[in-house]
């Protein structure tokens, strides 16, 4: 539907903001423009709408150059929701939404309103859930409410293509999802084409079918959804540390941003400490470890501050601790430095069950944790002639940021060797 080819332009013809940008948006699709502040996303929209001059390149809408459309003809095809939500005059909400019907009224005498106009305004207000305050002055609304009113105005225009500049600006989580779910529904039901500037990469990953990634006025990539290999691209574009992982419920990728690490005050050199008494063994971590917990009462991937082994019912357990209902006397505990970092294995036999917990100061990835869990399960089956089950817990110190040192394979091999030897000694 929309074809942008070698587009160059901006606020100054001598120093264009946008350089040789090309992308294509299919009819009925959701396309996102992504990139940091100042990358040129809003400038592209202003070039598309003729607000800023195009130095070179083409913008085609349904196979026709966009400069061949009249302003009214273009307004019947495209509606725009910009970042600005200020209105100079104190119109009511319903009056603001009705302004979206202007392209259909401009040739009528006195811009009279037809029943079709009234129905379109009513439907747009219903879709955006603003009917309850349709008589309120627009200027009295909150930022989020204004955003929904302006979206209703854009929908009342009955466009084929809607362009949105940060449509979830000022919205809380609930209303953000409501607006984007509505856009997706209209996309499917009415074949509406959506082009949106989005700053939230996780929202973009979930809702957009395709996106263009911009930096310094140039497109670095046009693709259909994120993949794990895009980590390096996003780190370059946003100049920050981040990681990508699969969404827990959808076949989409999600991005986690990493804050700058603040040096810790001097403290114990070990990240793991163990205390024992007659009925209790407590393994305490000096920071929460990324943990994979499997088996009975396992929580999957989570974070924990330690593990408490005791059969005393009223023993206090920190909410971030994993608790095992066994006294210290029935627990085997092994400690060793592997490649200069402390590793601790806790084991306990209970009939056909062999419960194992491994904690290491090495910063393992989630994939590494899963591989270690597989190794533990395999080793556990080799120490008995009968099938053995039980809980598995593997924890890693993520506060030590992972570096690409080539150590991982050697580390995992050495861990497996050590575990194979020690698991045989579990009581």
């Amino acid at each position: 539907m929309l074809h942008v080819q070698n587009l160059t332009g901006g606020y100054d013809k001598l120093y264009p903001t946008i350089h040789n940008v090309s992308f294509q948006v299919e009819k009925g699709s959701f396309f996102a423009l992504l990139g940091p502040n100042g990358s040129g996303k809003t400038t592209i929209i202003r070039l598309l709408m003729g607000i800023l001059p195009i130095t070179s390149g083409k913008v085609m809408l349904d196979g026709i150059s966009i400069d061949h459309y009249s302003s009214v003809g273009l307004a019947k095809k495209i509606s725009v929701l910009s970042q600005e939500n200020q209105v100079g005059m104190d119109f009511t909400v319903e009056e603001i939404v009705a302004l979206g019907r202007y392209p259909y009224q401009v040739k009528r005498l006195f811009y009279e309103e037809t029943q079709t106009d009234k129905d379109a305004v009513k439907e747009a207000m219903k879709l955006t859930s603003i009917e309850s305050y349709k008589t309120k002055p627009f200027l009295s609304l909150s930022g989020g409410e204004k955003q929904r009113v302006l979206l209703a105005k854009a929908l009342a225009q009955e466009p084929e293509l809607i362009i949105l500049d940060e449509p979830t600006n000022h919205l809380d989580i609930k209303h953000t999802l409501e607006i984007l779910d509505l856009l997706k529904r209209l996309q499917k039901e009415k074949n509406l084409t959506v082009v949106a500037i989005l700053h939230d990469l996780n929202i973009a990953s979930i809702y957009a079918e395709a996106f263009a990634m911009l930096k310094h006025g140039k497109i670095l990539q046009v693709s259909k959804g994120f993949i794990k290999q895009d980590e390096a691209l996003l780190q370059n574009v946003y100049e920050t540390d981040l990681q990508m992982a699969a969404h827990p419920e959808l076949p989409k990728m999600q991005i986690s941003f990493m804050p700058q690490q603040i040096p810790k005050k001097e403290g114990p050199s070990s990240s793991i400490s163990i205390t024992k008494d007659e009925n209790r063994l407590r393994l305490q971590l000096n920071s929460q470890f990324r943990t994979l917990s499997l088996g009975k009462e396992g929580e999957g991937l989570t974070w924990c501050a330690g593990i408490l082994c005791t059969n005393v019912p009223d023993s206090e357990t920190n909410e971030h601790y994993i608790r095992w209902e066994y006294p210290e006397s029935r627990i085997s505990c092994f400690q060793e430095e592997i490649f200069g970092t402390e590793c601790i294995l806790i084991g306990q036999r209970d009939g056909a069950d062999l419960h194992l917990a491994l904690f290491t100061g090495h910063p393992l990835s989630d994939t590494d944790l899963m591989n270690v869990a597989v190794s533990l399960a395999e080793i556990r089956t080799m120490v008995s002639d009968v099938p053995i089950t039980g809980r598995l817990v593997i924890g890693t110190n993520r506060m030590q940021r992972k570096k690409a040192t080539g150590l991982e394979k050697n580390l995992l091999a050495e861990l497996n060797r050590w575990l194979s030897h020690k698991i045989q000694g579990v009581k």
Side-chain angles (χ1 to χ4, degrees):
M1 180 181 191
L2 179 66
H3 188 194
V4 178
Q5 185 176 1
N6 301 323
L7 183 65
T8 297
Y11 298 88
D12 189 328
K13 288 187 177 181
L14 296 178
Y15 303 99
T17 310
I18 298 301
H19 306 274
N20 201 35
V21 162
S22 298
F23 61 88
Q24 191 163 339
V25 182
E26 301 296 332
K27 188 171 182 62
S29 66
F30 192 127
F31 188 90
L33 292 171
L34 307 177
N37 291 334
S39 59
K41 303 182 297 298
T42 298
T43 304
I44 288 177
I45 288 179
R46 290 177 175 173
L47 290 169
L48 296 181
M49 300 311 299
I51 299 171
L52 293 177
I54 294 175
T55 304
S56 62
K58 295 180 181 179
V59 179
M60 308 291 287
L61 182 64
D62 286 338
I64 301 172
S65 178
I66 207 161
D67 55 14
H68 289 172
Y69 286 88
S70 68
S71 58
V72 172
L74 192 60
K76 290 181 178 180
K77 300 278 284 186
I78 304 176
S79 63
V80 179
L81 175 59
S82 64
Q83 290 184 47
E84 294 81 12
N85 60 13
Q86 299 301 317
V87 175
M89 299 180 67
D90 200 6
F91 290 106
T92 66
V93 165
E94 188 171 22
E95 287 169 338
I96 293 290
V97 178
L99 292 175
R101 299 303 298 169
Y102 171 78
Y104 303 92
Q105 299 170 344
V106 67
K107 291 187 177 181
R108 298 180 200 150
L109 185 63
F110 304 120
Y111 302 103
E112 70 263 21
E113 186 178 44
T114 67
Q115 189 59 47
T116 301
D117 295 328
K118 293 177 181 178
D119 291 342
V121 169
K122 184 177 180 180
E123 176 67 11
M125 290 193 295
K126 181 180 178 181
L127 287 170
T128 51
S129 302
I130 62 172
E131 293 172 297
S132 60
Y133 46 88
K134 65 181 183 179
T135 59
K136 283 187 176 182
F138 179 79
L139 297 180
S140 70
L141 304 181
S142 68
E145 289 171 335
K146 288 178 179 177
Q147 195 78 348
R148 290 161 67 192
V149 170
L150 293 178
L151 177 59
K153 171 179 169 287
L155 293 176
Q157 207 168 315
E158 296 184 315
E160 296 178 30
L161 166 65
I162 185 168
I163 298 177
L164 308 113
D165 193 348
E166 298 184 48
T168 58
N169 195 21
H170 305 299
L171 298 182
D172 58 30
I173 294 174
K174 175 187 175 183
H175 290 110
T176 290
L177 296 181
E178 284 182 354
I179 291 296
L180 290 167
D181 286 342
L182 168 61
L183 289 171
K184 291 298 288 185
R185 195 175 88 228
L186 293 174
Q187 176 195 345
K188 301 300 181 185
E189 293 178 357
K190 299 190 176 184
N191 207 29
L192 178 68
T193 305
V194 180
V195 174
I197 291 176
L198 297 173
H199 274 298
D200 189 321
L201 296 179
N202 289 320
I203 288 290
S205 178
I206 291 172
Y207 285 94
E209 284 100 24
F211 63 80
M213 182 66 67
L214 288 103
K215 187 176 183 180
H216 301 321
K218 297 180 180 179
I219 288 183
L220 301 187
Q221 177 174 292
V222 177
S223 61
K224 294 185 177 181
F226 292 123
I227 57 175
K228 178 68 175 175
Q229 288 73 18
D230 288 330
E231 261 185 18
L233 170 69
L234 294 179
Q235 288 172 351
N236 171 46
V237 169
Y238 289 95
E239 299 177 2
T240 190
D241 190 9
L242 56 82
Q243 295 180 354
M244 300 185 72
H247 190 286
E249 300 292 337
L250 300 172
K252 305 281 188 175
M253 299 301 290
Q254 293 286 269
I255 296 93
S256 299
F257 295 93
M258 306 296 290
Q260 183 178 4
Q261 194 166 12
I262 300 172
K264 291 186 176 181
K265 295 180 180 179
E266 291 296 324
S269 58
S270 174
S271 59
I272 308 171
S273 61
I274 294 178
T275 56
K276 300 180 182 180
D277 58 33
E278 183 178 355
N279 295 306
R280 178 185 312 179
L281 181 146
R282 182 191 297 269
L283 182 147
Q284 184 170 345
L285 309 170
N286 67 359
S287 61
Q288 289 199 39
F289 275 32
R290 181 66 163 170
T291 306
L292 177 61
S293 176
L294 303 173
K296 184 181 179 182
E297 299 178 6
E299 297 182 0
L301 285 166
T302 183
W303 295 85
C304 84
I307 186 167
L308 179 67
C309 305
T310 181
N311 63 348
V312 180
D314 59 350
S315 290
E316 293 185 8
T317 306
N318 184 295
E319 63 177 326
H320 297 297
Y321 270 66
I322 295 172
R323 182 184 174 104
W324 282 6
E325 300 291 340
Y326 301 103
E328 185 276 331
S329 60
R330 294 176 57 190
I331 298 291
S332 299
C333 184
F334 308 95
Q335 295 177 254
E336 187 164 326
E337 278 199 5
I338 298 179
F339 291 145
T341 300
E342 190 171 20
C343 297
I344 294 179
L345 175 68
I346 295 175
Q348 194 276 328
R349 287 184 183 272
D350 182 20
D353 289 337
L354 175 54
H355 307 292
L356 299 169
L358 170 68
F359 289 88
T360 175
H362 288 288
L364 304 178
S365 67
D366 286 350
T367 301
D368 291 335
L369 290 176
M370 295 175 193
N371 288 332
V372 172
V374 170
S375 296
L376 277 175
E378 290 176 345
I379 296 168
R380 188 168 59 181
T381 62
M382 294 189 295
V383 301
S384 175
D385 296 329
V386 296
I388 293 181
T389 57
R391 296 178 69 178
L392 292 177
V393 176
I394 306 99
T396 178
N397 186 2
R398 284 283 179 80
M399 295 301 105
Q400 303 296 326
R401 291 293 172 81
K402 190 165 186 177
K403 302 292 184 182
T405 61
L407 182 65
E408 288 80 4
K409 287 185 178 179
N410 292 335
L411 169 63
L412 294 176
E414 184 63 18
L415 272 176
N416 286 341
R417 182 201 62 76
W418 180 67
L419 292 169
S420 298
H421 175 65
K422 294 301 180 183
I423 287 174
Q424 297 181 46
V426 175
K427 302 175 186 178

